[in-house]
Amino acid sequence: MGNATSTPAQPLITRLRELADVERARSEAADLAVAEAERVLQETQQLQRVAAERHAAVLATVEAAEAYVGQQAQDASDIGSRDEQTEQRGADTAAAPSAPGRSLKHLVVDALDIGEITPLTLIYERVREVRPDSTASAIRAAIATLHKRETVEIVRRGFYRLLVIPEAYRTDI
């Protein structure tokens, strides 16, 4: 019997080996392409995470700016009503802890429980039970001030946690 690599079959085997080499090269090229695609995907996912973090930071900045502007407006209106409030406090020295003469910051502290996460809508509701004319921007400004003083933590947009009761917090004011 003749050998499989005899002279007439030799060109066929050589051609098949060439095809095998071509297919191995294609397979290696495909493996490299997959590795490159995975690298690009990981880089893109990292960019996506960074973009999400930056977006959250910008939203927090916008919220703080809105609160600051609201506090500025509240401070301007408080100047005119300060004399009236002083007279009211003098007349009623035994005011309840949540009396309308209390500052908005005190009302926000009253609306929060230490360590508990509280949604902004609940803070609005609790503050407006005592002071119905409080604007959302004024309440957010009070929260921003408390956050700046490290009394309130911004857990995420619209959710806050009372960290400590401020030393200046007195229920008899």
Side-chain angles (χ1 to χ4, degrees):
M1 238 207 174
N3 189 347
T5 58
S6 64
T7 311
Q10 187 64 33
L12 175 64
I13 291 175
T14 302
R15 180 65 182 142
L16 290 174
R17 286 190 189 275
E18 289 172 357
L19 289 173
D21 289 342
V22 168
E23 292 305 320
R24 181 176 36 87
R26 284 184 181 166
S27 177
E28 289 172 357
D31 289 343
L32 289 174
V34 167
E36 177 64 14
E38 287 174 345
R39 185 189 64 75
V40 169
L41 176 63
Q42 288 175 346
E43 287 177 2
T44 305
Q45 287 174 332
Q46 177 62 25
L47 289 173
Q48 184 183 31
R49 281 190 291 273
V50 169
E53 289 172 5
R54 291 179 67 158
H55 180 247
V58 168
L59 288 177
T61 302
V62 167
E63 187 173 304
E66 288 174 340
Y68 176 77
V69 169
Q71 182 62 42
Q72 295 299 317
Q74 181 68 28
D75 288 347
S77 68
D78 283 350
I79 290 172
S81 65
R82 200 171 282 155
D83 292 335
E84 180 182 315
Q85 289 177 356
T86 303
E87 290 174 15
Q88 181 181 1
R89 282 188 200 138
D92 187 16
T93 57
S98 57
R102 298 199 48 182
S103 76
L104 218 47
K105 291 183 283 290
H106 283 116
L107 296 177
V108 169
V109 169
D110 288 343
L112 297 166
D113 296 320
I114 291 181
E116 297 296 319
I117 297 173
T118 308
L120 183 59
T121 54
L122 184 59
I123 297 171
Y124 288 157
E125 181 181 311
R126 289 178 178 173
V127 168
R128 287 178 177 150
E129 285 175 2
V130 178
R131 191 179 294 168
D133 60 334
S134 299
T135 64
S137 62
I139 294 170
R140 286 192 312 270
I143 293 170
T145 301
L146 292 167
H147 174 68
K148 185 176 178 182
R149 294 178 184 168
E150 298 180 351
T151 303
V152 171
E153 173 188 22
I154 300 172
V155 178
R156 62 182 179 275
R157 184 182 176 124
F159 291 87
Y160 302 90
R161 178 184 297 136
L162 181 64
L163 299 175
V164 295
I165 294 181
E167 290 179 21
Y169 181 82
R170 293 189 358 219
T171 59
D172 62 339
I173 293 179

